[in-house]
Amino acid sequence: MDPVTQGMFTWENFFLILFGLFLLGTILLDVAMVVSLVRVGDERRQLIVWKAGAFTLLITVLTQVFDVVEAVVLAKKLQSNPFIDLSVTAVTYFVVLLVLKKRYGDFERGK
């Protein structure tokens, strides 16, 4: 068997590719989150974006509080991973944004 192709499809490679796709997806979600916050729209659109932003802030703050409480209870050093924080923030924002768009009606179509 050719040594170059040997071991090409291992579980490590599969999970590395999966992680790369997740990383690319979260980068795209972060960019899209900033773009959706900056875009101007009507009052309904602003309400949806404000509610999604407020709920995302609540989730982000609660996860930080849980991290601090866990560190105090377990008497360990406080560790925060910015990649995980940004990923959770971006995913939370877009899930809430999709739910609110469905509830209050979609944004202007085609814009």
Side-chain angles (χ1 to χ4, degrees):
M1 187 176 262
D2 186 15
V4 174
T5 59
Q6 182 181 8
M8 194 168 197
F9 295 106
T10 62
W11 284 108
E12 292 85 13
N13 288 342
F14 173 75
F15 287 121
L16 187 61
I17 291 170
L18 196 62
F19 176 73
L21 291 174
F22 176 74
L23 180 64
L24 181 64
T26 55
I27 289 171
L28 292 175
L29 283 178
D30 285 336
V31 170
M33 177 175 57
V34 171
V35 168
S36 74
L37 287 171
V38 173
R39 268 186 43 201
V40 180
D42 61 350
E43 293 83 14
R44 181 176 43 91
R45 184 185 186 291
Q46 288 178 349
L47 173 76
I48 293 170
V49 170
W50 287 341
K51 283 188 173 194
F55 190 78
T56 302
L57 178 65
L58 175 70
I59 295 299
T60 304
V61 169
L62 285 177
T63 56
Q64 294 295 322
V65 168
F66 288 143
D67 287 343
V68 169
V69 169
E70 178 187 18
V72 169
V73 169
L74 298 178
K76 67 178 186 178
K77 182 180 172 186
L78 183 62
Q79 297 176 342
S80 179
N81 187 339
F83 173 71
I84 293 174
D85 292 343
L86 279 175
S87 299
V88 168
T89 302
V91 170
T92 302
Y93 178 78
F94 274 99
V95 167
V96 172
L97 188 64
L98 290 175
V99 168
L100 291 174
K101 282 170 71 172
K102 186 165 183 76
R103 181 182 298 166
Y104 294 114
D106 201 0
F107 293 156
E108 305 155 3
R109 293 179 189 245
K111 293 186 179 182

